[in-house]
């Protein structure tokens, strides 16, 4: 079974992806880490974020086994990731790796922005997870404070709005709801409530397939 989870920044995609993967015994890929890693490689090499050739080369060299999630999670890397993620050649370079992950025997859970629309249009279940921008900023603020990263909630809200706009307005693989996605608004749900709702959706799809 392939579960595709998409949604805007800090909506809870990764948290849901991890929990659904654990529940169903599937591998999980947070695809945002790939774009974050491309940006990090560029910056580490002293390149600028608008260098398409360098970004594409960095994307082609990515190795899933060597992603250092701790180093990629910070606020600056989210912003930088959305800049390189708007480059069609960077996205193209990352498609095969994501599809190979999804194609593992038994399936997988992937979360990102274009999983249900571009990477796995044939996914068994598609979730589009949302929450109000204010609630998402609060969640990201709590996360950054817990990481020991200085954070200002108003600035994070600005970041999130700017990044959502960039992700939704880019011409290639924009953040968009797949026509067959189940939308889940988690604004008023805690992480357990969101997981219960997501599990309900996935279980209903699994049950309907078993019957037919
Ligand atoms: N339903 C929820 N209620 C409150 N906090 C949540 C919820 N879902 C996730 N979080 C927290 O919000 C932050 C962002 O969640 P994450 O899963 O990383 O989102 P995304 O992958 O969409 O960026 C994390 O610190 C996570 O623990
Ligand atoms: N499948 C994906 C995943 C992420 N991204 C880009 O990578 C950036 C960082 O993604 P992320 O999922 O780590 O960000 P958060 O939602 O965790 O803040 C996003 O703002 C997108 O620009 C993408 O374009 N396509």
């Amino acid at each position: 079974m392939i579960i595709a989870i998409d949604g805007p920044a800090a909506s809870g995609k990764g948290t849901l992806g991890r929990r659904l993967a654990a529940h169903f015994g599937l591998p999980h890929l947070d695809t945002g880490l790939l774009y974050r890693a491309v940006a990090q490689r560029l910056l580490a090499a002293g390149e600028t974020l608008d260098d398409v050739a360098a970004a594409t080369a960095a994307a082609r060299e990515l190795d899933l086994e060597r992603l250092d999630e701790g180093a990629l999670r910070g606020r600056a890397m989210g912003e930088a990731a959305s800049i390189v993620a708007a480059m069609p050649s960077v996205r193209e370079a990352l498609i095969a790796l994501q599809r190979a992950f999804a194609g593992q025997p038994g399936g997988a859970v992937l979360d990102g922005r274009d999983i249900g629309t571009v990477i796995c249009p044939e996914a068994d279940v598609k979730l589009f997870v949302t929450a109000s921008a204010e609630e998402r900023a609060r969640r990201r603020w709590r996360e950054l404070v817990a990481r020991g990263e200085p954070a200002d909630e108003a600035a994070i809200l600005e970041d999130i709005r700017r990044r959502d706009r960039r992700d939704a307005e880019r011409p290639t693989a924009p953040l968009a709801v797949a026509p067959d996605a189940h939308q889940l608004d988690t604004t008023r749900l805690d992480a357990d409530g969101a997981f219960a709702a997501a599990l309900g959706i996935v279980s209903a799809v699994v049950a309907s397939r078993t019957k037919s």
Side-chain angles (χ1 to χ4, degrees):
M1 171 168 63
I2 297 177
I3 303 177
I5 307 176
D6 292 302
S11 53
K13 305 176 294 295
T15 303
L16 278 181
R18 269 191 301 280
R19 291 186 67 170
L20 286 171
H23 183 87
F24 289 104
L26 294 170
H28 168 234
L29 178 62
D30 172 347
T31 64
L33 290 178
L34 305 176
Y35 297 92
R36 288 172 181 261
V38 169
Q40 190 200 41
R41 276 173 162 243
L42 278 192
L43 296 173
E47 315 279 1
T48 54
L49 289 170
D50 59 359
D51 187 331
V52 177
T56 308
R60 291 197 181 118
E61 284 164 16
L62 265 200
D63 179 354
L64 274 190
E65 307 299 322
R66 294 176 55 200
L67 295 180
D68 177 1
E69 181 163 0
L72 298 172
R73 274 274 147 243
R75 181 177 157 202
M77 220 45 80
E79 173 71 15
S82 76
I83 295 173
V84 298
M87 300 171 180
S89 55
V90 167
R91 306 200 70 84
E92 179 67 35
L94 296 173
I95 287 181
L97 180 151
Q98 295 174 82
R99 289 196 177 140
F101 190 91
Q104 293 179 73
V109 181
L110 289 85
D111 77 84
R113 301 292 185 290
D114 62 341
I115 308 303
T117 50
V118 175
I119 302 298
C120 301
E122 77 296 354
D124 298 279
V125 191
K126 299 180 186 180
L127 296 174
F128 193 89
V129 187
T130 59
S132 71
E134 290 76 11
E135 172 60 19
R136 290 185 284 123
R138 216 168 295 131
R139 292 177 186 174
R140 188 52 37 96
W141 176 80
R142 270 191 234 115
E143 176 186 331
L144 291 173
V145 169
R147 276 172 55 94
E149 199 173 310
D152 171 71
E153 204 174 314
I156 292 173
L157 179 58
E158 259 314 292
D159 275 6
I160 279 185
R161 289 207 162 113
R162 187 175 53 248
R163 194 139 66 84
D164 286 352
R165 214 175 306 123
R166 190 182 291 135
D167 289 345
E169 290 178 357
R170 70 184 174 219
T172 307
L175 171 68
V177 187
D180 51 348
H182 299 264
Q183 295 203 48
L184 179 57
D185 184 341
T186 69
T187 306
R188 288 187 180 77
L189 297 175
D190 63 12
D192 288 342
F195 175 62
L199 187 57
I201 294 168
V202 178
S203 302
V205 173
V206 172
S208 72
R209 299 241 161 143
T210 321
K211 259 189 227 150
S212 59

